[in-house]
Amino acid sequence: MSMFFTIAVIVLVFLVIFQIAKASEYVSILKGDENAKAQSNKINGFLMIVFLVLGLVGVYLCNKALFPKTLLAHESPSVQGEKVDSMLWVTLIITGIVFIITQILLFWFSYKYQENPKRKVFFFPHNNTMELVWTVVPAITLTVLVVIGLRNWFSFTSEAPKDALVVEITGKQFGWMFRYPGKDNIFGKKYFRVINDAQSNPLGQIWADNAQYNLKADPANFDDIVLSQTVYLVKGKPAKFIINSRDVIHDVGLPQFRMKMDAVPGTPTTLWFTPKFTTKEMKEKTGNPDFVYEISCDQMCGNGHYSMKGVIEVVTQEEYDLWMAKQKPNYYAAFPDKDPANQKPVTPAAGADSTKTLAAAK
Amino acid sequence: MSNEAVLHAHEVSHDVHHGGHDGHHHHENFITKYVFSQDHKMIAKQFLITGMVWAVLGGLMSVLFRLQLGYPEASFPWLEDILGKWAKGGHISAEAYYALVTTHGTVLVFFVLTAGLSGTFSNFLIPLQVGARDMASPLMNMLSYWFFFLASIVMLSSMFVETGPFSGGWTAYPPLSALGDASPGSKTGMDLWLIAMALFVVSQLLAGLNYIATILNMRTKGMSMTRLPLTIWALFFTAVLGVLSFPVLFSGFILLIFDRNFGTSFYLSDIFISSVGALPNEGGSAILYQHLFWFLGHPEVYIILLPAMGMVSEILSTNSRKPIFGYMAMIGSLFAIAILAFLVWAHHMFVTGLNPFLGSIFVLLTLLIAVPSAIKVFNWLTTLWRGNIRFTPGMLFAIGFVSLFISGGLTGIWLGNSALDIHLHDTYFVIAHFHIVMGVASMFGMFAGIYHWYPKMYGRFMNNTLGYIHFWVTIAGAYLIFWPMHYEGLAGMPRRYYDYSVWESFKQFVELNRFISTVVIIVFAVQLLFLANFFYSIWKGRKVTTQNPWESTTLEWTTPIRPGHGNWPGEIPEVHRWAYDYGKDGKSFIPQTTPVGDDESEHH
């Protein structure tokens, strides 16, 4: 019912506007075309200035209301993000100045030079000096921006530092999986045809010989740790992601760290950055007790795209070591009988060994 | 066919001033006049009206998905009435949301802003402004429209299939677009999408070749290339861009069709789909498609924008009563933009794992585009300076175009710089950027063109008051909708999300989204007002009583008020000067057909 009412009101408003517009046309014919044109020209000229003033006030108010909600309101929690931010500011200032000057000129000229029967227009088809100026000045300005941009670009895309914490991240519809290389610091080989979710092998780690695909088990896989949804990184330590996708193209979006890289099936990509603040510190800095570093999928990947979320916990080195010590290689999930913890009741000696290694890891 | 031949072929066959009365030589019945017409003016109107139908559909889709974004909690029972299972309980499903977003993008970019804008005005203006009876090949021209029509029918039909229309974004990146098992929208809906797009490419090629041939070969006596109005230059570069880049897109689509249906692996490799297991494909590259797609995709942006730029140049000059400033620089910048358009496609791919060195080259070339763009803006501003401006609705939209082009163009400098793109890529910042600079600005160019050439199209005026309302609400609305989106982008908010409520980082914009959605509805309603004005005025608008209502210099205003097929009743007029002699030697304007007087100052 309310629907009909709304439609009726809209139609009515439409008809009223339409009738007024039609009437105004008749009036203009009665008044004489020239008079009517002069009048509407005055109104539109005036509206140009009104629009300019309201627009600039609007820009200011919009900024006041929305700026605190952007990432720029807080210091970036990554070293790379700081560079992005400073570059954003430089670009904003340059484009902002151009924006304000050109918009003011546009609407001011429109207002100032509205038709006036007394004015004689200035026949001004071209002027080489002026054209040269506004070719060269933008070119120089852009060169500055390109230089700043490329310096950052090459630093962001450079090889990650040797001491970086390397994590493999794999997207699938619709979630993220993470793999740490384990104690040997080597990622075991993978093959997509041996992926088997039911048998705890979501990444296709080659940990058993396979005659069908001519694969040999890679021992480097035995200590790899596989996690889903949450990944732990260390404050102040560069983190390098090796990015894969299992099905369609995804994108590892790290809004707070100002970083992003696609996950492409069949073509691994990389991305590295250095987190500066722990999650706990960010909760204080942003004043938001629920703050988390989120990984958002930034490449359309299907109907669950909007829910493809991962979490990054940035912690101190000590917290990280404690946490890491508690993680079990994924190999043991697939082969519980190989897990030293499960072998305890059978052979006590082996159990003692595993406690020792755990203690050593700590 | 040479212009002379065409001229003689039509010499006697034309009725002129009076619309109702047929020519002596050929019969025009309803079918040949309105349906399978070979008159470029009628084909232009066909493109325009089909484009309008698509604009309403595409616009309505954006209203629907904005309802979801603005009111994610609310339920609208009437949605279920129109969308059925796609909106159970009055709540648009994620699948339907993505289908709407995808179709909105495809339709607006290709069907409205390519076919509707450049199709309309290339057809309408090229023969009239270069002084030709019709296109080089009127038959090909007609085919071009009918291929577009077929494409439209197929695209429309994709919306009614069981598994829904394609829903993987208008760029249709594989593997998502290649695998029906990855998304229901990639099943039959995607096949239809691809067929529609392939037909569309055919239509564009037929049209583009025709436009180029006409402009190069069929200019009237005296109409040298440097006397052409800027509209024609812009439409010329548009056609060149289309002819050189659409085939690449076509090849990309063909490979995708093969991957989908014939088991090839051009784009597919190492894929495991949860519901079906590992796929047999190996050795393909998903990124290959993106190269092929954006090799058209980026020029496409200029295919959309250049016609608007050309028309705006023409309209600004006419209504400022002043020559366009820096005519040669305007052509030069159009040329530079057209060349650079081919060399920047990978700036859409900075975060795909592109080689950083290659990326740096694309940064350089991309930011280089800002130079010709800046030249154009400053030249437009100087055209207004010390003019004598008449605010016709067309002129208002032309000024609005310049404002939007500045706003949206400047954010291109942000996104073109790869180090910033890493942060802003695929966020709402991008949405704001391309909607302002390409979407709304081109729409403004199109509106400007419609208001300005309406008297030539239908022999009547559109209602001015409605035009003014249309302009002021639309420009205010466009800024209110897209300006705040920059802030959402600076918060890292990703595009193409159905629901933000579970995201700690992005859920702070609930009220803003509601505000934007409300403005969208109002702006959409005002566009309906424009359509009402358009169609009402075809039959009831104030009649045009003078041949040249805007006191313009160009050739189309030397034809009769309602020109027949063939445009000029007698000889095609000869051209003696460039198109921008406004305010010269104290005269308000000197038409291109006026011979140069002895006492005239410097002559172009």
Side-chain angles (χ1 to χ4, degrees):
Chain A
M1 201 53 218
S2 68
M3 193 63 215
F4 277 116
F5 186 69
T6 327
I7 292 177
V9 169
I10 293 171
V11 169
L12 215 68
V13 170
F14 249 70
L15 284 176
V16 168
I17 296 176
F18 208 87
Q19 289 306 322
I20 291 174
K22 253 173 70 182
S24 74
E25 200 164 62
Y26 298 138
V27 171
S28 81
I29 292 168
L30 285 179
K31 271 204 303 206
D33 220 20
E34 286 310 310
N35 280 337
K37 266 187 191 156
Q39 198 186 18
S40 77
N41 227 46
K42 268 207 185 105
I43 294 171
N44 281 300
F46 177 67
L47 285 175
M48 287 283 163
I49 278 300
V50 171
F51 185 78
L52 175 66
V53 173
L54 287 183
L56 292 176
V57 172
V59 167
Y60 170 76
L61 291 178
C62 179
N63 186 63
K64 206 172 149 199
L66 296 179
F67 183 77
K69 296 185 176 185
T70 67
L71 290 166
L72 286 169
H74 304 285
E75 193 184 346
S76 167
S78 77
V79 177
Q80 286 70 16
E82 280 180 338
K83 290 186 189 162
V84 170
D85 283 2
S86 78
M87 195 175 150
L88 271 179
W89 282 113
V90 173
T91 314
L92 175 64
I93 290 166
I94 292 176
T95 54
I97 291 171
V98 178
F99 172 80
I100 290 181
I101 292 177
T102 47
Q103 298 282 6
I104 288 179
L105 287 182
L106 176 67
F107 289 104
W108 170 248
F109 285 170
S110 299
Y111 167 76
K112 176 117 196 276
Y113 298 108
Q114 56 179 293
E115 187 165 41
N116 176 348
K118 282 178 224 139
R119 186 182 310 117
K120 207 171 148 279
V121 302
F122 178 40
F123 186 78
F124 190 43
H126 69 99
N127 178 312
N128 290 342
T129 325
M130 283 169 80
E131 284 165 83
L132 201 67
V133 168
W134 57 60
T135 311
V136 173
V137 173
I140 293 171
T141 319
L142 288 165
T143 314
V144 174
L145 289 175
V146 168
V147 168
I148 300 174
L150 289 185
R151 268 173 54 188
N152 284 335
W153 168 247
F154 284 121
S155 112
F156 297 165
T157 54
S158 64
E159 220 22 72
K162 289 229 160 46
D163 64 332
L165 173 66
V166 185
V167 186
E168 186 193 77
I169 170 167
T170 305
K172 65 161 188 173
Q173 288 179 324
F174 298 97
W176 299 102
M177 296 171 292
F178 309 95
R179 179 160 73 139
Y180 289 87
K183 282 195 290 289
D184 62 0
N185 239 346
I186 300 171
F187 289 103
K189 291 201 179 75
K190 299 186 304 176
Y191 187 47
F192 76 104
R193 291 190 200 284
V194 296
I195 290 174
N196 194 327
D197 287 323
Q199 288 172 20
S200 297
N201 193 3
L203 297 175
Q205 287 170 277
I206 306 172
W207 50 33
D209 294 342
N210 187 319
Q212 189 192 348
Y213 302 122
N214 196 18
L215 303 173
K216 271 189 81 74
D218 182 1
N221 268 317
F222 297 164
D223 65 348
D224 288 3
I225 290 156
V226 176
L227 303 162
S228 64
Q229 300 315 319
T230 306
V231 63
Y232 281 70
L233 301 177
V234 179
K235 174 187 169 179
K237 186 171 184 178
K240 177 184 176 183
F241 283 152
I242 299 173
I243 302 164
N244 284 295
S245 168
R246 217 174 76 162
D247 37 44
V248 301
I249 299 177
H250 301 278
D251 183 283
V252 180
L254 309 172
Q256 285 87 9
F257 300 117
R258 279 69 157 166
M259 280 286 140
K260 188 171 287 143
M261 184 55 71
D262 279 359
V264 185
T267 318
T269 55
T270 59
L271 154 77
W272 73 274
F273 62 98
T274 315
K276 271 172 51 192
F277 304 124
T278 62
T279 305
K280 214 182 288 166
E281 286 169 341
M282 279 305 275
K283 286 184 189 189
E284 285 157 22
K285 279 189 181 294
T286 58
N288 176 6
D290 299 323
F291 176 87
V292 276
Y293 290 117
E294 284 169 319
I295 303 178
S296 54
C297 179
D298 281 348
Q299 187 58 260
M300 177 66 200
C301 64
N303 293 336
H305 173 53
Y306 66 95
S307 60
M308 188 165 162
K309 174 157 123 178
V311 171
I312 296 179
E313 281 285 339
V314 178
V315 293
T316 59
Q317 185 71 47
E318 297 82 56
E319 289 169 310
Y320 176 80
D321 292 341
L322 272 175
W323 170 81
M324 191 39 116
K326 283 188 232 145
Q327 305 308 313
K328 267 193 183 176
N330 193 37
Y331 185 60
Y332 299 155
F335 302 97
D337 51 314
K338 299 270 170 66
D339 186 346
N342 292 340
Q343 288 165 11
K344 210 189 227 165
V346 193
T347 47
D353 266 348
S354 89
T355 349
K356 227 183 261 167
T357 33
L358 259 183
K362 274 177 194 172
Chain B
M1 203 172 357
S2 79
N3 215 6
E4 281 311 295
V6 179
L7 196 150
H8 291 299
H10 287 271
E11 207 160 47
V12 263
S13 69
H14 277 292
D15 76 309
V16 255
H17 305 261
H18 328 289
H21 143 245
D22 279 346
H24 325 274
H25 277 204
H26 63 227
H27 261 315
E28 278 193 329
N29 54 34
F30 183 82
I31 299 281
T32 58
K33 187 165 178 199
Y34 295 106
V35 185
F36 294 106
S37 172
Q38 297 191 12
D39 182 354
H40 69 101
K41 298 186 289 303
M42 184 53 69
I43 294 172
K45 291 174 195 169
Q46 291 174 330
F47 268 111
L48 180 58
I49 288 170
T50 317
M52 282 175 168
V53 171
W54 274 118
V56 171
L57 285 175
L60 195 63
M61 286 173 197
S62 70
V63 169
L64 292 182
F65 67 70
R66 273 314 312 187
L67 275 182
Q68 162 61 28
L69 285 173
Y71 307 87
E73 308 298 328
S75 112
F76 304 94
W78 56 273
L79 277 178
E80 192 170 354
D81 296 339
I82 55 170
L83 294 175
K85 68 166 177 172
W86 308 102
K88 279 237 167 63
H91 204 90
I92 294 174
S93 68
E95 213 176 324
Y97 174 83
Y98 285 122
L100 288 169
V101 170
T102 303
T103 318
H104 165 79
T106 312
V107 159
L108 263 296
V109 168
F110 292 109
F111 290 18
V112 178
L113 290 174
T114 305
L117 170 58
S118 116
T120 302
F121 290 101
S122 296
N123 266 302
F124 193 75
L125 295 179
I126 289 173
L128 281 172
Q129 288 198 333
V130 305
R133 297 279 180 206
D134 204 312
M135 284 289 176
S137 166
L139 175 74
M140 226 158 97
N141 206 24
M142 177 184 83
L143 284 176
S144 145
Y145 172 74
W146 286 102
F147 270 102
F148 169 53
F149 186 81
L150 269 181
S152 296
I153 297 292
V154 177
M155 187 60 80
L156 200 63
S157 71
S158 83
M159 269 167 258
F160 298 95
V161 297
E162 176 72 28
T163 47
F166 178 53
S167 59
W170 76 279
T171 51
Y173 285 176
L176 185 66
S177 61
L179 305 172
D181 292 313
S183 165
S186 301
K187 292 180 172 151
T188 319
M190 184 58 189
D191 284 318
L192 292 170
W193 190 93
L194 282 169
I195 295 169
M197 288 308 300
L199 289 168
F200 183 81
V201 172
V202 173
S203 148
Q204 285 306 302
L205 291 180
L206 290 172
L209 291 169
N210 220 345
Y211 303 154
I212 295 170
T214 311
I215 293 170
L216 290 182
N217 297 324
M218 300 186 60
R219 282 169 284 125
T220 183
K221 194 172 175 198
M223 183 65 96
S224 62
M225 288 302 272
T226 49
R227 281 180 183 168
L228 285 173
L230 285 169
T231 28
I232 301 302
W233 272 106
L235 294 169
F236 176 69
F237 285 122
T238 304
V240 172
L241 284 173
V243 165
L244 293 181
S245 63
F246 266 112
V248 178
L249 178 77
F250 192 72
S251 68
F253 285 162
I254 295 290
L255 300 188
L256 186 53
I257 290 174
F258 273 61
D259 271 9
R260 290 174 55 78
N261 301 305
F262 307 120
T264 56
S265 305
F266 292 107
Y267 305 135
L268 306 176
S269 187
D270 296 35
I271 292 167
F272 181 96
I273 299 285
S274 297
S275 56
V276 291
L279 302 185
N281 312 73
E282 276 187 71
S285 162
I287 301 301
L288 169 64
Y289 173 87
Q290 298 187 19
H291 282 290
L292 295 174
F293 182 85
W294 287 114
F295 192 83
L296 161 93
H298 198 79
E300 172 67 21
V301 173
Y302 296 101
I303 290 174
I304 287 171
L305 201 56
L306 291 186
M309 285 179 166
M311 291 193 290
V312 163
S313 305
E314 171 74 20
I315 294 167
L316 280 180
S317 169
T318 304
N319 290 295
S320 304
R321 314 307 301 155
K322 216 178 144 243
I324 191 80
F325 181 77
Y327 174 79
M328 288 311 279
M330 289 304 240
I331 297 175
S333 55
L334 282 174
F335 181 66
I337 290 174
I339 296 286
L340 287 171
F342 283 112
L343 302 174
V344 298
W345 78 89
H347 71 215
H348 298 269
M349 300 166 59
F350 285 141
V351 299
T352 56
L354 190 76
N355 178 318
F357 175 70
L358 197 59
S360 68
I361 304 289
F362 279 99
V363 171
L364 199 66
L365 292 166
T366 301
L367 292 205
L368 215 52
I369 289 199
V371 175
S373 306
I375 295 174
K376 294 201 87 75
V377 167
F378 290 123
N379 284 3
W380 285 323
L381 291 177
T382 316
T383 305
L384 291 176
W385 178 64
R386 293 183 66 182
N388 216 2
I389 301 168
R390 297 174 180 171
F391 293 111
T392 61
M395 181 62 173
L396 290 178
F397 274 100
I399 293 171
F401 170 90
V402 178
S403 169
L404 289 160
F405 181 70
I406 294 169
S407 307
L410 286 171
T411 51
I413 294 174
W414 300 45
L415 292 167
N417 222 333
S418 54
L420 289 184
D421 186 64
I422 288 188
H423 176 36
L424 297 171
H425 191 90
D426 268 345
T427 64
Y428 266 71
F429 197 90
V430 178
I431 305 280
H433 162 70
F434 77 75
H435 273 91
I436 291 179
V437 76
M438 175 188 96
V440 187
S442 302
M443 273 303 212
F444 269 52
M446 187 162 168
F447 287 134
I450 293 173
Y451 281 109
H452 189 78
W453 280 287
Y454 195 89
K456 192 79 259 162
M457 287 182 179
Y458 294 102
R460 291 173 187 268
F461 290 102
M462 288 175 74
N463 183 298
N464 274 345
T465 312
L466 285 177
Y468 295 142
I469 294 173
H470 178 212
F471 170 74
W472 287 108
V473 177
T474 310
I475 189 163
Y479 273 118
L480 287 174
I481 292 167
F482 295 112
W483 189 265
M485 285 190 189
H486 292 108
Y487 289 86
E488 295 186 323
L490 288 171
M493 189 164 128
R495 63 194 285 204
R496 294 174 176 153
Y497 270 26
Y498 167 67
D499 185 9
Y500 293 90
S501 60
V502 299
W503 293 84
E504 195 53 47
S505 316
F506 316 123
K507 68 179 185 192
Q508 68 269 41
F509 290 113
V510 178
E511 285 153 38
L512 176 61
N513 276 335
R514 186 163 308 151
F515 169 78
I516 292 175
S517 297
T518 312
V519 182
V520 166
I521 295 169
I522 295 169
V523 171
F524 181 73
V526 171
Q527 307 315 305
L528 296 180
L529 202 62
F530 159 76
L531 286 180
N533 187 9
F534 182 91
F535 287 105
Y536 180 85
S537 304
I538 291 179
W539 292 282
K540 300 277 181 161
R542 204 153 48 88
K543 276 191 175 155
V544 177
T545 47
T546 53
Q547 216 176 4
N548 190 356
W550 309 128
E551 300 181 286
S552 184
T553 55
T554 41
L555 282 182
E556 74 272 31
W557 305 106
T558 62
T559 60
I561 291 172
R562 287 165 176 269
H565 195 173
N567 299 339
W568 285 270
E571 295 266 328
I572 299 180
E574 189 183 338
V575 165
H576 300 278
R577 60 180 71 237
W578 74 329
Y580 297 101
D581 272 339
Y582 291 103
K584 191 183 185 191
D585 298 339
K587 290 189 187 114
S588 171
F589 71 107
I590 312 173
Q592 284 191 278
T593 48
T594 310
V596 182
D598 298 332
D599 52 347
E600 225 176 281
S601 53
E602 178 209 12
H603 151 68
H604 281 270

